[in-house]
Amino acid sequence: MTELATRWLGLELQSPLVVGASPLTDDLDALKACVRAGAGAVVMHSLFEEQLVEEQMAAHRFIDSRINMDAEARSFFPESEVFEMGSGSYLQRLELLRRSLDVPVIASLNGISTGGWTGHALELEAAGAHAIELNLYDLATDPSETADSLEQRQLAVVRSVTEQVSIPVSVKLSPFYSALPAFVAGVEAAGARGLVLFNRFYQPEMDLDELELSREVVLSSSAELPLRLHAAAMLYGQTSLEMAVSGGVHTGDDAAKAILSGATAVQVVSAILADGPGALGQIHDGLIRRLSDMGYRDLIEARGALSMERAPNSRTWERLNYARLLHGWK
Ligand SMILES: Cc1cc2nc3c(=O)[nH]c(=O)nc-3n(C[C@H](O)[C@H](O)[C@H](O)COP(=O)(O)O)c2cc1C
């Protein structure tokens, strides 16, 4: 049987399967069941830059309001929800998960600009996070901002987090970079240890009857996986960052494909949200079955076996495959 124990971000994991960032953070029983079913680590849902900045602003406002502001001036500021959404409860949750789960707990930050909010990374480390996953969910909407300036801003955020903590930091990327390998090299130079491929973009659906946008989260399917597999296979051997695939892993075979493409860890969210922790158990068993059938003793043997590392000229290889695929259609 294939041995699934592995190391992700320098952490010892019983398996490469990781419960990805999601509301499962708030369901300790479900997380325990995931660990029993074979999860090697859990990622908490994200603390957002906007949330942390708002918290700091509200704290200032609160103090100011006690000192010297008259009622009219105060009325310019919206009421804060700081005491409902504070980072304090996140830290408490982190401490609880640390005490209750015997697998690594990875905290998550989500932000796009440098600033005081990144200081919260230090609090996450102090509260016992084994690692931090930094989600760069950032969409270009300003025609005057170039790709380069947007990427430099993102790399500055990575640097400002990695510089503050001694625990490992992984960076969760969007799939849409013109030159992903070059950006990944920048992420590595900025001190990150791992990559999470990829974020999902939540395109709102249009409600034509009501003429409004509906913001329902649609869970993924395995159809989202190939984009991730392609990126992992292309980056494997080109970066010393470890890679986790996130998005579209629903079966043991999906997880096997991620490993064979070069991933060290495989994150799962939608499958668990849809079918409960048992789904993770099935992925776990299916992964062992598949890799054992293929004759791999452990993940080191399997990792990257289907990567593009051995393709001598990946651009030519890509172009040829593309042309062959289109011409071969019947
Ligand atoms: C309801 C829900 C909440 C999520 N919350 C977060 C979050 O707080 N931070 C984050 O980085 N990703 C978040 N994600 C994205 C997941 O971590 C994951 O990357 C994505 O769902 C793709 O994986 P999947 O196909 O296994 O669902 C969330 C996803 C869902 C469905």
Side-chain angles (χ1 to χ4, degrees), residues 257-268:
K257 288 175 191 172
I259 303 285
L260 294 166
S261 300
T264 298
V266 182
Q267 297 194 357
V268 183

Side-chain angles (χ1 to χ4, degrees), residues 20-23 44-46 48 108 110 133 135 172 198-200 202 217 219-220 224 228 246-250 267-271 273:
S22 71
M44 294 176 70
H45 69 68
S46 301
F48 284 79
S108 168
N110 190 321
E133 184 175 287
N135 186 332
K172 191 170 182 178
F198 286 121
N199 262 320
R200 286 174 80 215
Y202 292 100
V217 176
L219 297 179
S220 74
E224 294 187 27
R228 279 86 185 161
S246 170
V249 175
H250 288 259
Q267 297 194 357
V268 183
V269 170
S270 290
L273 291 179

Side-chain angles (χ1 to χ4, degrees), residues 16-17 197 225-226 228-233 236 243-249 251-267 287 291 299 302-307:
L17 298 175
L197 308 169
L225 186 62
R228 279 86 185 161
L229 299 180
H230 179 268
Y236 185 75
M243 295 184 287
V245 159
S246 170
V249 175
T251 66
D253 276 6
D254 290 342
K257 288 175 191 172
I259 303 285
L260 294 166
S261 300
T264 298
V266 182
Q267 297 194 357
L287 174 63
L291 294 182
L299 296 186
R303 186 171 304 124
L306 281 178
S307 72

Side-chain angles (χ1 to χ4, degrees), residues 4-13 193 242 264-265 303:
L4 287 193
T6 189
R7 283 171 77 85
W8 162 241
L9 308 175
L11 306 165
E12 306 281 350
L13 307 192
R193 173 98 188 231
E242 294 165 12
T264 298
R303 186 171 304 124

Side-chain angles (χ1 to χ4, degrees), residues 193-208:
R193 173 98 188 231
L195 285 178
V196 181
L197 308 169
F198 286 121
N199 262 320
R200 286 174 80 215
F201 279 109
Y202 292 100
Q203 299 108 326
E205 189 42 280
M206 286 181 185
D207 181 336
L208 296 180

Side-chain angles (χ1 to χ4, degrees), residues 17-24 27 29-31 33-35 37 39 41-42 219-220 249-250 266-283:
L17 298 175
V18 173
V19 180
S22 71
L24 287 160
D27 188 342
D29 288 339
L31 288 180
C34 287
V35 172
V42 304
L219 297 179
S220 74
V249 175
H250 288 259
V266 182
Q267 297 194 357
V268 183
V269 170
S270 290
I272 307 171
L273 291 179
D275 299 320
L280 192 128
Q282 286 186 8
I283 295 172

Side-chain angles (χ1 to χ4, degrees), residues 108-129:
S108 168
L109 286 174
N110 190 321
I112 54 170
S113 57
T114 52
W117 73 274
T118 60
H120 286 273
L122 213 51
E123 293 175 8
L124 299 174
E125 179 174 29

